[in-house]
Amino acid sequence: MSTPPAAANPSTSTTPKRLFTDKDEISLLQSLLHNTSNPSFERNYTKEQIKNKINRLKQKYRHQDKPSSKKPHDLEVYELSAQIWGPKEEAVLKRRGIINWRDYPNVVKHAKETFPGGEECYMEGIEGLEEDDLKRLEQKWVQATREMSEIQTRKSQLMNRSLQRQ
C-alpha cells in the first residue's frame, strides 16, 4: 500500500490552517464596533491571539482600498472594519479604551523611566482616563521635563561657577 501524496493529505498540506473561523472574525469585529467585551466565539482564543487578530484585521483594512474578493464574508469584514477604523477611528477606538500613545510621548517616556518593565500596567491603568485628562497629563509631563531641564542647567551653572573660583 502506498502513502497518498502530501497534497492529497490535508494534515500535511502546506496551506496554513486558519485559527479564527469566519463567524468568529465577524463576532470579534461586531464586539469592537458595539463596545462589548464578550464576543461569542465558536472556539476558545487567548488574549494574545485576539489582540493579534485585531491587529491583522486592522492592517488588512488599512492596506486595501476595496475587499480583495466578492465573497460575502470578505465584504462584511470590510464593511465592519470601515465602521471601526474609518473616518471616525479615534472616536470608536477611544470608546473602547484604546489610546494612540504616539499622541502622548511624554506619558509613555516617563512611564518607561518610572516603571521599568512594568510600564504596561501603568499604561493600562491610565487607559480609562478621558482624553482631556490625558492631554492634561501629557502637558504636566512636558512642564515637568522643562522644569527638570532648567534645574539641571542651574546645577551645571553652579558647578561651573564653583570650579572657576578655585
Side-chain angles (χ1 to χ4, degrees), residues 50-65:
I50 293 170
K51 182 176 131 185
N52 289 337
K53 184 62 175 180
I54 292 169
N55 287 334
R56 284 192 309 275
L57 287 168
K58 183 176 182 179
Q59 289 302 319
K60 180 179 178 181
Y61 171 70
R62 286 279 176 233
H63 291 93
Q64 71 180 153
D65 294 327

Side-chain angles (χ1 to χ4, degrees), residues 70-81:
K70 300 292 181 196
K71 289 193 257 178
H73 169 74
D74 292 339
L75 293 171
E76 188 173 6
V77 166
Y78 184 83
E79 290 300 320
L80 287 167
S81 296

Side-chain angles (χ1 to χ4, degrees), residues 3-91:
T3 312
N9 188 346
S11 65
T12 60
S13 172
T14 57
T15 306
K17 186 176 178 185
R18 289 186 57 192
L19 179 63
F20 280 75
T21 65
D22 287 354
K23 186 176 177 183
D24 288 347
E25 281 184 357
I26 299 300
S27 180
L28 177 60
L29 289 169
Q30 287 175 337
S31 73
L32 292 174
L33 181 64
H34 301 294
N35 196 26
T36 58
S37 58
N38 294 323
S40 58
F41 291 135
E42 294 177 336
R43 299 178 184 161
N44 292 326
Y45 303 104
T46 66
K47 287 181 182 181
E48 191 66 26
Q49 289 170 327
I50 293 170
K51 182 176 131 185
N52 289 337
K53 184 62 175 180
I54 292 169
N55 287 334
R56 284 192 309 275
L57 287 168
K58 183 176 182 179
Q59 289 302 319
K60 180 179 178 181
Y61 171 70
R62 286 279 176 233
H63 291 93
Q64 71 180 153
D65 294 327
K66 296 177 183 177
S68 54
S69 76
K70 300 292 181 196
K71 289 193 257 178
H73 169 74
D74 292 339
L75 293 171
E76 188 173 6
V77 166
Y78 184 83
E79 290 300 320
L80 287 167
S81 296
Q83 291 176 52
I84 296 167
W85 296 301
K88 297 182 180 181
E89 175 186 14
E90 290 303 320

Side-chain angles (χ1 to χ4, degrees), residues 97-139:
I98 295 178
I99 298 166
N100 183 357
W101 290 112
R102 284 177 271 156
D103 293 340
Y104 307 99
N106 289 286
V107 171
V108 172
K109 176 185 174 214
H110 292 286
K112 288 179 179 180
E113 289 173 358
T114 308
F115 305 100
E119 67 267 9
E120 284 187 31
C121 255
Y122 175 79
M123 305 303 268
E124 286 176 18
I126 62 174
E127 276 185 347
L129 294 176
E130 293 296 322
E131 190 171 354
D132 289 342
D133 293 330
L134 271 172
K135 286 178 181 176
R136 276 193 291 278
L137 183 58
E138 176 69 13
Q139 287 305 311

